[in-house]
Amino acid sequence: MKKTLLAATLVISALVASAQTGYVIKGQIGKLGKPAKAFLLIKLEGAEKLDSAVLVNGAFTFKGSVPSPMEATLRLKHDNSIDTPGRRIKIDGMAIILGNENITITGKDSIRTAAIKGSTLTDESKRVDALLRPIYEKLQALNKEYADQPEAKKQDKTYVLELEKRAKVIEQEIFDAKINYVKQNPSKYMALMALNSTLGPGFDAIEMEKIFANISPELKNSFFGKQVAERIAHFKKTQEGVDAQDFTQPDVDGKMVKLSDYRSKYVLIDFWASWCAPCRRENPNVLKVYEQYKSKGFEVLGVSLDKAADKAKWLKAIADDKLTWKQVGDLKGWENAAAAMYDVKAIPMNFLIDPTGKIIAKDLRGPALEAKIKEILEKKSK
């Protein structure tokens, strides 16, 4: 008797374990049949995986497994029409957070309006949405307030500035709510998604690294977790306060120049190109600041994103814009090794390095560059 009970227990345990190794999605959308077809799109470790199933009397099933939770999309194509100009295919769908769970989806005639059960991950996503919705509604109300104003009011700089200040307060409230959720739910997949959503332009990589450190090991080791970690680490390399990465590139005569050659001075690494109109417009401002402060320990190192075929244009731009500081470039365009190192996605872009080799500012343009250099060198002279 005991042996039989033990054997039965082992069988049940094995079945439970088996069920937990994969997902099963069972759908029932009315009584739809051919040619209606359901699709499951998963972005699996950087690659898209598409599965499909024909509806039989409204029913369809998807089975598989994912190594860790991830975003997925369920879509329903109602007919067999092909994508042709002027013909819009009827496709509806829903986004889900897919884990290795048993999920049921039930709807009258659409996936978009269907009810979903069994997906604890999607349920958590909805909970977070509900948490943030009241704050986002404040932002929407602010946008509506602006849209409802007469044109003269929209041109009122004082009003616009006041509106921007109010918007920043709300944006900070959204940020704080997300970070609080992350800190309180370190083992939930949505915490990883919430943290990732805060990694916008200019985020504090050092602080985000500390928060990420408290995420559960399982999530940190997931594909998405590794992506978030990589994003934080990559951004941290060019954050203010960190050591600037050294690089070596040839100048216009082929002589190799190192960034570390500029130690003991304030140096602006200026990424630009001869074909970049905004760069060319900014050059006179950089030249003005350089001429004004070069005798006080300020230097500029230009890094070109021109290609080898355009070297003559690069040299002409240097001469035409009267750029007298050192210019380097490996002439690989956007594949420039230094630009990749500094995660340069748009130009003009610059980084200000102090005499010890630390990044102290970046993306300084127009009056901001002059103001920063003036502030630094005047403080230094006191």
Side-chain angles (χ1 to χ4, degrees):
M1 178 72 104
K2 288 183 178 179
K3 287 184 180 180
T4 304
L5 182 61
L6 178 60
T9 303
L10 288 174
V11 170
I12 293 171
S13 298
L15 289 173
V16 171
S18 176
Q20 292 176 343
T21 60
Y23 61 80
V24 178
I25 302 174
K26 290 189 175 183
Q28 183 70 49
I29 307 298
K31 299 296 181 181
L32 290 177
K34 290 183 179 180
K37 200 171 186 180
F39 298 88
L40 176 65
L41 178 65
I42 306 172
K43 290 189 176 180
L44 187 62
E45 299 192 352
E48 289 189 346
K49 176 187 174 183
L50 183 65
D51 198 0
S52 63
V54 174
L55 272 70
V56 178
N57 201 26
F60 65 88
T61 302
F62 290 109
K63 293 182 179 181
S65 64
V66 287
S68 58
M70 58 189 61
E71 294 177 88
T73 305
L74 271 169
R75 291 179 180 173
L76 178 61
K77 186 180 177 193
H78 290 248
D79 58 40
N80 60 2
S81 60
I82 60 173
D83 192 6
T84 56
R87 176 78 163 86
R88 192 167 187 177
I89 299 175
K90 185 180 179 183
I91 298 178
D92 71 319
M94 69 158 60
I96 63 172
I97 309 298
L98 182 63
N100 292 317
E101 303 177 297
N102 294 325
I103 302 169
T104 59
I105 295 171
T106 310
K108 183 178 180 181
D109 56 11
S110 168
I111 282 185
R112 184 179 291 109
T113 57
I116 179 170
K117 293 183 179 180
S119 175
T120 58
L121 293 162
T122 301
D123 289 344
E124 184 65 13
S125 175
K126 290 178 180 178
R127 189 172 82 82
V128 176
D129 286 344
L131 175 71
L132 296 173
R133 190 176 300 115
I135 315 176
Y136 276 108
E137 285 174 352
K138 293 181 185 179
L139 211 53
Q140 291 170 359
L142 208 60
N143 290 334
K144 186 177 185 305
E145 177 187 327
Y146 175 77
D148 291 343
Q149 298 302 318
E151 197 58 37
K153 185 72 170 178
K154 291 179 181 178
Q155 301 302 321
D156 184 339
K157 292 182 179 179
T158 302
Y159 170 69
V160 172
L161 184 61
E162 184 263 339
L163 212 61
E164 288 176 350
K165 288 180 179 177
R166 288 163 60 191
K168 285 183 179 179
V169 171
I170 298 171
E171 288 166 359
Q172 185 63 46
E173 189 178 351
I174 292 171
F175 176 86
D176 291 343
K178 288 179 178 180
I179 294 302
N180 285 337
Y181 174 81
V182 174
K183 290 179 177 179
Q184 292 169 13
N185 301 274
S187 62
K188 293 189 182 295
Y189 182 75
M190 282 305 301
L192 201 56
M193 292 190 70
L195 180 61
N196 184 61
S197 71
T198 67
L199 307 182
F203 75 90
D204 187 339
I206 295 174
E207 183 60 28
M208 291 300 104
E209 188 177 56
K210 294 176 183 176
I211 294 171
F212 180 77
N214 291 318
I215 294 288
S216 71
E218 182 183 2
L219 285 176
K220 283 195 286 190
N221 290 324
S222 69
F223 178 73
F224 186 37
K226 290 176 182 177
Q227 282 186 313
V228 173
E230 184 179 346
R231 188 175 178 189
I232 293 172
H234 194 69
F235 196 86
K236 183 182 174 183
K237 292 178 182 178
T238 60
Q239 183 164 315
E240 295 174 22
V242 304
D243 291 331
Q245 302 169 86
D246 199 11
F247 62 84
T248 303
Q249 298 227 332
D251 66 11
V252 295
D253 298 317
K255 181 181 177 182
M256 303 307 288
V257 178
K258 289 183 179 181
L259 172 62
S260 54
D261 293 341
Y262 289 83
R263 283 290 173 90
S264 80
K265 292 186 176 183
Y266 288 93
V267 57
L268 185 76
I269 311 173
D270 183 33
F271 291 94
W272 73 293
S274 64
W275 46 262
C276 169
C279 302
R280 303 296 294 277
R281 289 195 296 268
E282 181 65 16
N283 278 346
N285 179 63
V286 180
L287 178 61
K288 175 189 171 185
V289 177
Y290 177 68
E291 293 292 344
Q292 190 173 353
Y293 293 101
K294 65 180 180 180
S295 62
K296 298 181 180 179
F298 175 60
E299 276 292 347
V300 179
L301 176 61
V303 182
S304 169
L305 268 64
D306 284 284
K307 293 183 177 180
D310 297 322
K311 183 175 181 179
K313 294 179 181 178
W314 173 38
L315 298 178
K316 186 176 185 300
I318 293 171
D320 289 348
D321 293 358
K322 299 178 174 59
L323 308 182
T324 56
W325 52 85
K326 183 68 73 174
Q327 296 285 342
V328 301
D330 57 18
L331 299 179
K332 295 180 181 179
W334 283 106
E335 302 302 317
N336 180 285
M341 189 181 289
Y342 280 78
D343 198 30
V344 175
K345 303 297 185 186
I347 52 176
M349 182 63 192
N350 57 45
F351 297 85
L352 183 61
I353 316 300
D354 74 4
T356 68
K358 290 189 181 298
I359 298 173
I360 56 173
K362 60 184 179 181
D363 202 17
L364 297 167
R365 302 188 198 179
L369 174 60
E370 182 176 1
K372 186 66 176 180
I373 299 303
K374 181 180 179 181
E375 173 200 335
I376 290 169
L377 295 180
E378 282 186 354
K379 187 182 294 184
K380 181 183 176 183
S381 63
K382 289 180 180 179

